[in-house]
């Protein structure tokens, strides 16, 4: 664990000199130089331990365990009006994922999991689309932020037990642009049960597209979101 954490820390410190460096820790807001996390927070950021489940036959790429400073940073990015942190976190995720994502996204559209329009209006941005934009630019893939639409304003998945999450989200998504024949990589901030990604995959498939993979910044291995 210590070895892993220090490997991640050195990777994150590689943001040094990057114009994206925030100047403050993404998790605790401590002033820092040219890194995503301060040293104590970085020590709690862990690379993903287990491969997340595939969605159908499409593999899932995940960079980090959901927990520690990574979960705090993602929560701040989503719920504390800090969209700029999403770019930083996406860059952190790219450090381990850039090569496999390049493979997965070759000739594909990067499609973020959409928010319902009500939620989007409240938040002002879709965290998954912000992440997808950074990933797409970095691997030279096309970003299709409005390819899917969330038809149902589902209650926050986080508060529901697993079985209800599945029921809650089924049929919630639909394609809103022609996708027939397209290759699609879905992008989300966090994967827990995979219910949301599976529901998006249905919409992709219903639209005649092929899901080639999913990519998330963090994986909550025990559904502990
Ligand atoms: Zn910190």
């Amino acid at each position: 664990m210590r070895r892993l954490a220090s490997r991640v820390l050195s990777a994150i410190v590689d943001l040094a000199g990057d114009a994206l460096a925030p100047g403050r820790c993404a998790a605790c807001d401590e002033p820092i130089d040219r890194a995503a996390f301060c040293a104590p927070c970085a020590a709690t950021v862990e690379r993903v331990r287990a491969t997340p489940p595939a969605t159908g036959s499409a593999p899932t790429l995940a960079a980090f365990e959901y927990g520690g400073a990574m979960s705090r940073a993602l929560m701040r990015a989503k719920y504390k009006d800090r969209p700029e942190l999403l770019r930083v976190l996406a860059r952190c995720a790219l450090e381990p994922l850039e090569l496999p994502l390049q493979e997965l996204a070759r000739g594909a559209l990067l499609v973020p999991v959409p928010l319902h329009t009500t939620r989007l209006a409240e938040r002002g941005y879709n965290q998954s689309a912000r992440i997808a934009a950074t990933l797409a630019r970095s691997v030279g893939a096309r970003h299709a932020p409005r390819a899917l639409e969330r038809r149902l304003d589902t209650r926050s998945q986080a508060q529901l037990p697993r079985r209800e999450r599945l029921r809650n989200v089924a049929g919630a998504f639909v394609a809103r642009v022609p996708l027939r024949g397209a290759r699609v990589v879905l992008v989300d901030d966090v994967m827990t049960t995979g219910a949301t990604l599976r529901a998006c995959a249905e919409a992709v498939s219903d639209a005649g597209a092929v899901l080639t993979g999913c990519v998330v910044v963090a994986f909550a291995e025990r559904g502990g979101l």
Side-chain angles (χ1 to χ4, degrees), residues 25 28 38 41:
C25 173
C28 74
C38 70
C41 285

Side-chain angles (χ1 to χ4, degrees), residues 21-22 41 53 58 64-65 70 83 92-93 105 108 125-126 128 132 147 151-153 197 211 219 225:
C41 285
F64 301 103
E65 287 291 316
M70 183 53 66
C92 290
Y125 53 93
N126 173 3
S128 302
R151 292 187 295 191
L152 305 175
D153 188 8
L197 288 171
L211 184 70
F219 175 40
L225 185 62

Side-chain angles (χ1 to χ4, degrees), residues 72-91:
R72 289 198 297 278
L74 283 162
M75 298 287 267
R76 292 179 81 212
K78 272 200 282 195
Y79 301 117
K80 301 287 183 190
D81 197 22
R82 299 292 303 273
E84 78 283 3
L85 293 178
L86 295 161
R87 210 159 44 140
V88 174
L89 297 174
R91 291 297 301 265

Side-chain angles (χ1 to χ4, degrees), residues 109-192:
L109 293 171
L110 259 58
V111 174
V113 171
L115 294 180
H116 188 267
T117 47
T118 309
R119 180 72 64 89
L120 183 60
E122 284 165 9
R123 189 170 296 165
Y125 53 93
N126 173 3
Q127 70 277 1
S128 302
R130 296 296 179 103
I131 293 165
T134 297
L135 299 181
R137 252 195 319 274
S138 301
V139 303
R142 284 176 299 160
H143 179 210
R146 283 170 287 278
L148 294 183
E149 176 183 349
R150 189 184 288 246
R151 292 187 295 191
L152 305 175
D153 188 8
T154 49
R155 279 191 296 149
S156 174
Q157 288 290 96
Q159 273 116 57
L160 297 173
R162 187 174 188 280
R163 213 170 39 190
E164 274 190 59
R165 287 188 201 192
L166 303 180
R167 202 167 40 221
N168 194 45
V169 80
F173 301 95
V174 66
R176 56 179 293 188
V177 300
L179 285 176
R180 183 158 300 282
R183 290 158 56 82
V184 167
V185 174
L186 289 168
V187 180
D188 208 355
D189 54 342
V190 182
M191 179 187 200
T192 49

